[in-house]
């Protein structure tokens, strides 16, 4: 039996939740999410949401900062609309119950305390201490759970999109096949409109700040269904993740550097000024590359982040979550420099969309980190991601509310064919490790033609094995995630190979200079190798 709804939303981060709340005013929403509803990248966001909220700040300044960080590849129209719609979206979040820190001495409903982060020319980051994502997720989940028009299916993982072209119809998306993880049964969810809000793909790399859900499922599903994807070579590495074998690359927010934290080599030398006049507050691509350079130069396994110069109590009060987490791993952030390394953090590319989140397949939309809207260009400005999820969640909901209703077709249920139970699950762990390691070593912060060719060859081999396993055995969440990170890896390597210059996050030893003629997006579609397309 199929589940039928008006809007199928895949993913419960800031984009999926905020979209659902608005769309539910028009029709029935079915929200599927592959783990508990709160589990998402959103939940772990520390720094906050960038928006022009202070008197001395301006839309022009936020637009300029975004374009500079994006190495002039961002789409100006998208930047302008995200920035100008930002303040209203932050207020909407407050109306949903999210509490942001207030400026000292400010009264009820008045000024927010705003943080400064790298690449920003003004304080404009609204935050809840250093646990902004947790507060945003809390407020939105509570509102979603209270809404009678939203049905939530937790522990349900979308496997693939249903496109009518596959059944001899027009190229329209009509929902998705979804794995109920508890029963291992596959359900057919049919919808008038299907929205991908599946977040990023940090797990494609060995070291990442992202939680386990970040396996690029939406991007991989859209690509398999024939949708266009773009700019996948621009994977952002956050400069400062905690270096500790068991800490799973816990993030140390950029706001620490905004408050004066200094990056030092293990011998104590402050090195950022030698790399960029903006020093610790240069955009992330520059800081991450500088750290990579210093680690390679000195042979050290990490560098140090030092915020010991602050008055007593400052760090504990302003960054309570990070202070406590560092303590848990044996470090006193207020009184000693902390070992840090860069780690994969944010996918700037994704499924291509228009200004309202429509993909190139009718009936299929993409919002949040899985989408490529054009906002981030070659490098995302800090704290512009939660902003993008909110703005596009809202814009897509408005567009869908205005659109005419599509018919819900009848499609066959999932066919498991001759699949059996596997006694070789080790294939999954082996390929999972190999893929993530090769992406880290060959397609990381610094790239080159030879490394990209090596990576492409190995990914193709791994994909062959994964496909064989996929068709012969019953599917599991682990297998689906492995298949998806392999697809995302293929797209990153394909796009990186097509770009013959260094720009923003894509730095290659073979083409170290920026080339104005390549100020174009890289597009890729199933059956069409990646290429740069003019605007
Ligand atoms: P997510 O919040 O990642 O949600 C994706 C959802 O999709 C999850 O619920 C997941 O379970 C679900 N899902 C995925 N695949 C499937 C599937 N196949 N089937 C069903 N469900 C699926 N950005 C900022 O702007 N400011 C910050 O301060 C900030 N700090 C960050 C700190 C950390 C540690 C990290 C990791 C990221 C940070 N970011 C920050 C980035 C930002 O958090 C994310 O880009 C943003 O939250 C993405 O939101 P989203 O709704 O698109 O996806
Ligand atoms: C951080 O707090 O440093 C992360 C902010 C972001 O990823 O935008």
């Amino acid at each position: 039996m199929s589940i039928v709804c008006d809007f199928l939303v895949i993913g419960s981060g800031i984009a999926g939740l905020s979209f659902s709340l608005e769309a539910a005013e028009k029709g029935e929403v079915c929200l599927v999410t592959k783990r508990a509803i709160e589990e998402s990248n959103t939940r772990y966001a520390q720094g906050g949401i960038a928006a022009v909220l202070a008197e001395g700040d301006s839309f022009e300044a936020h637009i300029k900062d975004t374009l500079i960080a994006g190495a002039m590849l961002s789409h100006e129209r998208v930047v302008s609309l995200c920035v100008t719609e930002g303040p209203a979206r932050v207020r909407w979040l407050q109306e949903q119950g999210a509490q942001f820190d207030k400026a000292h001495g400010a009264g009820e409903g008045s000024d927010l305390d705003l943080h400064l982060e790298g690449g920003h020319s003004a304080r404009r980051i609204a935050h809840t201490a250093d646990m902004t994502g947790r507060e945003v997720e809390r407020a939105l989940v509570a509102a979603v759970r209270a809404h009678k028009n939203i049905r939530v299916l937790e522990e349900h993982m979308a496997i693939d999109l249903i496109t009518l072209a596959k059944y001899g119809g027009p190229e329209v998306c009509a929902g998705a096949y979804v794995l109920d993880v508890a029963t291992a049964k596959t359900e057919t969810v049919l919808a008038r409109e299907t929205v991908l809000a599946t977040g990023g793909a940090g797990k494609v790399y060995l070291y990442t700040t992202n939680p386990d859900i970040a396996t690029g499922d939406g991007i991989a599903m859209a690509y398999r269904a024939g949708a266009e994807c773009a700019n996948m070579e621009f994977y952002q590495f956050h400069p400062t993740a905690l270096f500790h074998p068991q800490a799973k690359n816990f993030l140390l927010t950029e706001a620490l550097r905004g408050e004066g934290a200094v990056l030092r080599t293990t011998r104590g030398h402050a090195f950022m000024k030698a790399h960029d006049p903006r020093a610790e507050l240069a955009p992330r691509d520059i800081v991450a590359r500088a750290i990579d350079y210093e680690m390679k130069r000195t042979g050290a396994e990490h560098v140090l982040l030092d915020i010991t110069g602050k008055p007593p109590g400052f760090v504990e009060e302003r960054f309570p979550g990070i202070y406590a987490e560092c303590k848990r791993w044996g470090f006193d952030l207020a009184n000693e420099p902390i070992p840090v390394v860069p780690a994969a953090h944010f996918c700037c590319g994704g499924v291509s969309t228009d200004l309202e989140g429509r993909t190139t397949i009718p009936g299929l939309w993409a919002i949040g980190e899985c989408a490529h809207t054009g906002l981030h260009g070659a490098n995302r400005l800090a704290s512009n991601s939660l902003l993008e999820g909110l703005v596009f969640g809202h814009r897509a909901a408005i567009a869908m509310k205005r659109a005419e209703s599509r018919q819900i077709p009848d499609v066959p249920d999932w066919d498991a064919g001759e699949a059996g139970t596997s006694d070789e699950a080790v294939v999954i762990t082996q390929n999972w490790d190999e893929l993530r390691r090769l992406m880290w070593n060959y397609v990381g912060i610094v790239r080159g033609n030879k490394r990209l060719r090596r990576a492409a060859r190995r990914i193709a081999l791994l994909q062959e094995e994964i496909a064989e396993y996929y068709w012969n055995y019953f599917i599991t969440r682990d297998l689906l995630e492995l298949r998806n990170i392999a697809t995302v890896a293929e797209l990153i390597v394909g796009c990186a190979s097509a770009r013959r210059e260094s720009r923003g996050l894509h730095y290659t030893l073979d083409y170290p200079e920026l080339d104005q003629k390549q100020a174009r997006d890289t597009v890729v579609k199933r059956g069409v190798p990646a290429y740069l397309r003019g605007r």
Side-chain angles (χ1 to χ4, degrees):
M1 261 237 316
S2 310
I3 296 171
V4 176
C5 58
D6 294 302
F7 308 107
L8 166 60
V9 181
I10 307 174
S12 54
I14 194 167
L17 293 171
S18 59
F19 169 84
S20 297
L21 284 168
E22 293 204 51
E25 302 304 320
K26 158 113 190 232
E28 282 181 11
V29 174
C30 177
L31 174 67
V32 305
T33 188
K34 66 180 173 178
R35 294 191 185 248
I37 189 169
E38 295 83 6
E39 196 50 14
S40 56
N41 270 2
T42 300
R43 180 189 184 181
Y44 299 93
Q46 295 181 353
I49 308 175
V52 175
L53 298 160
E55 257 180 29
D57 198 3
S58 69
F59 290 145
E60 291 71 28
H62 190 179
I63 291 170
K64 190 171 166 205
D65 293 344
T66 304
L67 293 173
I68 291 173
M72 307 319 275
L73 205 63
S74 304
H75 300 194
E76 287 196 36
R77 180 99 196 275
V78 178
V79 176
S80 165
L81 69 86
C82 277
V83 165
T84 52
E85 293 178 16
R89 291 299 92 215
V90 173
R91 278 194 293 277
W92 178 84
L93 259 186
Q94 291 177 292
E95 284 158 23
Q96 306 308 308
Q99 305 276 343
F100 298 119
D101 287 3
K102 297 270 171 61
H104 286 294
E108 191 59 31
S110 62
D111 300 351
L112 294 177
D113 178 56
L114 300 173
H115 271 161
L116 177 67
E117 291 184 339
H120 287 278
S121 57
R123 285 188 172 264
R124 60 170 76 103
I125 318 295
H127 65 100
T128 312
D130 55 358
M131 293 169 276
T132 311
R134 199 165 82 174
E135 173 60 9
V136 167
E137 193 72 18
R138 181 204 60 74
L140 292 178
V141 167
V144 159
R145 286 213 193 273
H147 207 296
K148 63 175 178 16
N149 252 3
I150 306 177
R151 175 179 180 186
V152 178
L153 297 177
E154 292 174 89
E155 304 290 334
H156 277 64
M157 175 171 188
I159 303 168
D160 261 323
L161 297 165
I162 298 171
T163 49
L164 298 184
K166 196 169 155 201
Y167 300 108
E171 205 203 30
V172 171
C173 180
Y177 292 116
V178 174
L179 175 73
D180 177 343
V181 177
T183 62
K185 292 225 164 67
T186 299
E187 286 163 5
T188 308
V189 184
L190 297 174
R192 295 183 205 286
E193 312 287 348
T194 301
V195 182
L196 294 170
T198 48
K203 295 302 266 190
V204 86
Y205 286 100
L206 189 58
Y207 303 112
T208 176
T209 62
N210 293 187
D212 292 345
I213 52 98
T215 48
D217 300 357
I219 298 170
M221 286 190 284
Y223 175 74
R224 284 196 291 274
E228 183 185 290
C229 299
N231 284 5
M232 290 297 292
E233 68 274 39
F234 299 117
Y235 216 99
Q236 182 173 72
F237 289 77
H238 195 290
T240 56
L242 182 63
F243 176 74
H244 187 286
Q246 272 100 47
K248 267 206 167 179
N249 306 104
F250 176 72
L251 184 78
L252 285 112
T253 179
E254 182 130 2
L256 286 161
R257 279 177 280 130
E259 296 302 329
V262 174
L263 283 162
R264 301 186 187 281
T265 62
T266 46
R267 288 171 170 255
H269 171 65
F271 57 83
M272 269 315 300
K273 277 229 171 73
H275 293 268
D276 191 284
R278 290 162 291 184
E280 273 73 10
L281 289 180
R284 269 181 201 169
D285 54 331
I286 293 168
V287 182
R289 238 178 352 259
I291 295 175
D292 187 66
Y293 174 85
E294 293 295 338
M295 281 166 50
K296 289 196 171 117
R297 186 179 69 76
T298 59
E301 283 189 292
H302 60 81
V303 295
L304 297 167
L305 185 69
D306 182 359
I307 190 163
T308 56
K310 290 293 179 190
F314 177 90
V315 172
E316 295 88 324
E317 191 201 325
R318 299 296 286 264
F319 301 102
I322 298 173
Y323 179 76
E325 187 66 13
C326 287
K327 260 272 146 86
R328 192 158 89 81
W329 299 107
F331 302 109
D332 181 352
L333 180 66
N335 293 304
E336 63 180 326
I338 302 292
V340 293
V341 281
H345 184 62
F346 183 84
C347 187
C348 292
V351 187
S352 304
T353 74
D354 68 5
L355 298 181
E356 268 127 6
R358 285 180 201 84
T359 70
T360 54
I361 298 182
L364 180 66
W365 308 65
I367 52 177
E369 190 171 340
C370 69
H372 174 260
T373 63
L375 175 63
H376 308 302
N379 177 33
R380 175 178 66 104
L381 182 65
S383 290
N384 265 356
S385 170
L386 294 176
L387 172 70
E388 183 188 39
L390 279 174
V391 168
F392 276 86
H394 173 68
R395 293 182 75 83
I398 301 278
M400 273 181 248
K401 282 200 252 182
R402 286 200 195 117
E404 257 183 46
S405 265
R406 223 181 287 276
Q407 288 301 312
I408 295 192
D410 204 16
V411 298
D413 278 342
W414 178 261
D415 179 8
E418 303 292 305
T421 308
S422 160
D423 55 0
E424 280 286 304
V426 66
V427 172
I428 298 179
T429 18
Q430 165 65 30
N431 287 355
W432 176 262
D433 288 343
E434 201 172 325
L435 188 76
R436 298 180 67 211
R437 191 173 293 278
L438 83 84
M439 285 301 287
W440 184 260
N441 287 335
Y442 295 154
V443 200
I445 295 173
V446 176
R447 300 160 180 180
N449 287 343
K450 223 196 270 172
R451 293 180 194 177
L452 289 176
R453 278 199 298 272
R454 277 197 193 124
R457 274 199 301 271
R458 281 171 168 73
I459 292 166
L461 271 176
L462 291 173
Q463 282 182 310
E464 230 178 80
E465 275 184 26
I466 294 165
E468 195 185 314
Y469 197 92
Y470 180 81
W471 292 114
N472 288 336
Y473 299 111
F474 290 129
I475 49 175
T476 61
R477 188 163 51 193
D478 287 350
L479 173 60
L480 294 173
E481 290 184 340
L482 172 64
R483 178 179 177 235
N484 290 335
I485 60 166
T487 302
V488 172
E490 175 197 338
L491 298 183
I492 295 174
V493 172
C495 290
S497 307
R499 184 169 293 283
R500 300 204 168 88
E501 63 161 347
S502 290
R503 180 186 294 270
L505 298 159
H506 175 68
Y507 182 80
T508 158
L509 296 167
D510 291 293
Y511 313 101
E513 303 300 327
L514 185 138
D515 171 11
Q516 285 306 354
K517 293 197 289 298
Q518 295 188 50
R520 292 180 283 161
D521 290 331
T522 322
V523 294
V524 59
K525 203 174 151 168
R526 203 187 57 214
V528 183
Y531 67 100
L532 299 192
R533 185 172 66 196
R535 298 224 186 112

